[in-house]
Amino acid sequence: MASGDQIPLLAAALLCALLAADSAVVERTFHVGNLTVSPLCERRVITAVNGKLPGPTIRAREGDTLLVLVVNHSPYGITIHWHGVFQKQSGWADGPSMITQCPIRPGGSYAYRFNVSGQEGTLWWHAHASFLRATVHGALIIRPRNRSFPFRTPHRQVPILLGEWWNADVVDLEKQAFLTGGGIVNVSDAFTINGKPGELYPRCKNHTYKLEVVSGETYLLRIINSALHSQLFFKIAGHSFTVVAVDASYTKPYDTDVVVIAAGQTVDALMVANAPSSRYYMAARPYFSSAGGPPSFDNTTATAIVRYADADDDAPPWMPRMPALNDTPTAHRFYTNLTGLRRPGAPAVPLEVEEHMFVTVGLGVLACEPTQVVCNRSRGTLGASMNNVSFRFPTAMSLLEAHFRGFHAEYQSDFPDRPPAMFDFTNNSLNTDPRLAPLLRTQRGTKVKRLKYNATVEMVLQNTAFIGAENHPLHLHGFNFFVLAQGFGNYNATTARSGFNLVDPQVRNTIGVPAGGWAVIRFVADNPGVWIMHCHLEQHVPLGLATVFVVENGTTPDSVLPPPPPDFPAC
Ligand code: C2O
């Protein structure tokens, strides 16, 4: 029989067991393989996970451990990235090809193991090799551990994955752009909502996603832009939204009738079914920010149907009035009006900065590669860069492995903190100014920026107008960052600093750097490992619009990168 003072001990042990049982291991198997689909009424074989497009939704709770075994039945080398997951102590599971791992070979497998501590909201997973994420992607939803949201509990939660579809094979698409297309990728054939293009494209069986709603109920739409190359406007006729989170970071409630979402970003929006019983289109179409850039883009519109229980199915659904394709004021209003929701225990904006970086972001011209079949040797080929370094992916070993094993020959640690020259970055005439020609010509390199553990980094991201100014959604792996300010023209520290939001800035993992403008972000390098930062317009990645942070180990056991897992894929 338990004596008097054993009872509290037993109770404590029981409580511990309950708490431990509370954080679960969520196990999944992803079979990557062929799937036949026909979104535009013609049959196509794509690469997909578990025979689904979009792939399976993973649901977890804050603090859970995820264990996803990826089995590659496809003919391509594949990796999966868990977009927005910090990967603390699990950098080997981050996924970008040749940055944190070599691809899983056809016939191979790899178990991604990581936790989602301190994170909740809508994230997603996608392939991070070639253009495969066009069809290899899905939602990753992290619910609060205690089941309570910092807003009214919705009746239902609905993942809305916005996608971009090509009739062509997407791996061929990338090869063709590089070998013969001068770096330019053919435009897509459709946009999709949960894998379906909707009624404004050729109509065939099962081509429209439908959301049945009940009058008076509240829906949490977990919107993910998984399109390869497009920022999107998203609306639902007759309804408005309250945005409550972006990139799995809560925001102050923000009321709007339009959501603007860059490739890679997520938006959690509440929608109340408070319209007259009927059918309403939800619609997604591009926000095309480019001035003087690539001449053509996919200007089509994806639709889905929101249907009230007793709606008349013979009447055509209501269509929302969409913003103009180049409506930068609407995009900028949405992107800049969001503020973060400050919650107890959440990190505050660091006020002391150790690493000040000023980084230009944009297109440029590269020397032809010997493998390019069609390339004008004197004019060069389309490229992209950050601070005039066009990132070249290593080929022999991933950077994380090279860093871990001390193979420093794989990369150089001299990614510059500033561009080679300061000039009028956003002036379109810089394309014709012969004095700037050397800056238009960027250099390839595998250059990384080394950071001490826990260093605070401020990056001014300055868009350039080389070739064409365009909003580049820059995504940072391994961290969230605070967005302190955004604006147009050349960044001016004196005027910009007074406008920094140091109180309640939005927290993101992907920032659309305004076309012909700039953005300022801050983050704390509290995550040892190797982290890529890149444009989430996929076509800009092989052009070189990327850089890498190498964060050194700290001095405590939980600030040291552990060794790779036993099944880590070899090159
Ligand atoms: Cu969602 Cu490195 O990507």
Side-chain angles (χ1 to χ4, degrees), residues 81 83 96 124 126 128 133 264 475 477 532 534 536:
H81 167 54
H83 181 118
W124 60 302
H126 62 76
H128 213 301
R133 82 171 162 87
H475 170 46
H477 287 218
I532 187 171
H534 64 89
H536 220 278

Side-chain angles (χ1 to χ4, degrees), residues 247 305 322 340 356 499:
D247 294 2
I305 293 176
M322 299 303 285
H356 286 273

Side-chain angles (χ1 to χ4, degrees), residues 168-180:
D169 180 281
V170 291
V171 174
D172 292 346
L173 197 72
E174 187 198 357
K175 284 197 195 124
Q176 170 269 329
F178 179 73
L179 293 176
T180 58

Side-chain angles (χ1 to χ4, degrees), residues 5 144 166-167 225 303 385 494 535 560 563:
D5 49 327
W166 278 261
N167 277 323
N225 184 349
T303 56
S385 70
T494 350
C535 183
V560 173

Side-chain angles (χ1 to χ4, degrees), residues 32 35 41 65 84 90 94 136 174 286 336 368 414 431 500 507 518:
V32 182
L35 172 68
C41 313
T65 295
S90 57
D94 191 39
V136 177
E174 187 198 357
T336 55
C368 299
D414 59 350
N431 289 301
F500 278 10
V507 177
W518 49 269

Side-chain angles (χ1 to χ4, degrees), residues 277-288:
S277 180
S278 186
R279 296 193 304 153
Y280 302 87
Y281 278 127
M282 60 171 82
R285 76 165 184 167
Y287 159 45
F288 186 69

